[in-house]
Amino acid sequence: MKWTKFYLPDAYSPTMEQLVYFHDHTMSIITSITILICILLNSLLWNKLIDLNMNEHQMIETWWTILPTIVLFLIAIPSLKILYSMEELINPTISIKSMGHQWYWSYEYSDKFCKELESYMKYNKKNDFRLLEVDNKMKAPFLTQIRMIFSSSDVLHSWTIPCLGIKMDAVPGRINQSSLMIKKPG
């Protein structure tokens, strides 16, 4: 295993790009806080200075209440922006209905032409990804706004493509929808 396998997958959609940027933004804040805390703990361990006047200063208590609130806003505002943009449907060109069944998925393209296909898992071969390879792969155009509609006929299913930043649950008797746009073919 290489060290590059520990990072997020390459982004193939604008949603995943925003999620990667948000991850980097949040990790920079967390790293800065961790470094500051380590420096302060090191200072407390090695210095034996006692200031009795610090017990009566309420200004420092005000600041150590306000600063974490500001940090939380710096994390929450981009997070909410991404959450709302993930739920937004922007004039889809094509709709693909994905129906989860007990051991397979069925896909239906019904906008311009009616096409249905069923996608069964392949048995494990030497070059296949275990539990990920299927006999009929869903095909979607790139640089096109796509609406995905999810449902299930029997039990809960989870439909995900990590490099597109999409993960949706298929629930029996309920229709979930999500939009995606693929930026790169593959």
Side-chain angles (χ1 to χ4, degrees), residues 7 41 58 61 71 78 106 108 117 127 129 152 155 158 160:
Y7 195 62
L41 282 175
Q58 294 185 2
E61 291 180 7
V71 169
S106 63
E108 180 181 325
L117 61 103
N127 295 331
F129 290 110
S152 174
V155 295
S158 184
T160 181

Side-chain angles (χ1 to χ4, degrees), residues 73-180:
F73 275 113
L74 287 174
I75 294 173
I77 291 173
S79 172
L80 289 174
K81 181 181 167 188
I82 292 172
L83 281 173
Y84 281 114
S85 71
M86 288 174 74
E87 293 294 323
E88 185 178 359
L89 284 175
I90 308 169
N91 197 14
T93 306
I94 187 171
S95 294
I96 302 172
K97 182 180 179 185
S98 178
M99 181 71 77
H101 300 281
Q102 189 70 31
W103 292 103
Y104 65 97
W105 287 89
S106 63
Y107 299 102
E108 180 181 325
Y109 302 83
S110 60
D111 282 341
K112 296 181 174 66
F113 56 92
C114 189
K115 181 181 179 185
E116 293 183 19
L117 61 103
E118 293 180 345
S119 184
Y120 291 92
M121 282 190 304
K122 283 184 182 178
Y123 289 110
N124 195 13
K125 292 183 182 175
K126 191 172 189 176
N127 295 331
D128 289 346
F129 290 110
R130 185 173 181 273
L131 300 177
L132 292 177
E133 290 294 326
V134 293
D135 56 355
N136 290 324
K137 295 181 180 180
M138 183 195 83
K139 294 174 179 63
F142 71 100
L143 297 177
T144 304
Q145 196 67 35
I146 302 167
R147 174 179 42 208
M148 293 292 301
I149 301 171
F150 304 98
S151 189
S152 174
S153 63
D154 44 21
V155 295
L156 293 174
H157 295 280
S158 184
W159 192 90
T160 181
I161 302 177
C163 62
L164 294 179
I166 183 171
K167 180 175 175 64
M168 191 61 67
D169 291 329
V171 181
R174 182 175 175 199
I175 294 177
N176 289 332
Q177 70 177 357
S178 181
S179 68
L180 65 101

Side-chain angles (χ1 to χ4, degrees), residues 12-66:
Y12 281 76
S13 71
T15 302
M16 188 61 186
E17 287 176 354
Q18 290 178 354
L19 289 172
V20 169
Y21 293 147
F22 176 70
H23 173 266
D24 295 343
H25 167 72
T26 307
M27 287 306 293
S28 66
I29 291 174
I30 291 172
T31 304
S32 302
I33 291 171
T34 304
I35 290 171
L36 177 68
I37 295 299
C38 287
I39 290 171
L40 291 175
L41 282 175
N42 189 26
S43 172
L44 283 174
L45 287 175
W46 295 107
N47 294 328
K48 302 293 184 202
L49 302 174
I50 297 174
D51 187 6
L52 296 177
N53 291 329
M54 284 295 283
N55 292 336
E56 299 299 325
H57 285 175
Q58 294 185 2
M59 184 59 76
I60 194 164
E61 291 180 7
T62 304
W63 279 108
W64 75 42
T65 304
I66 291 174

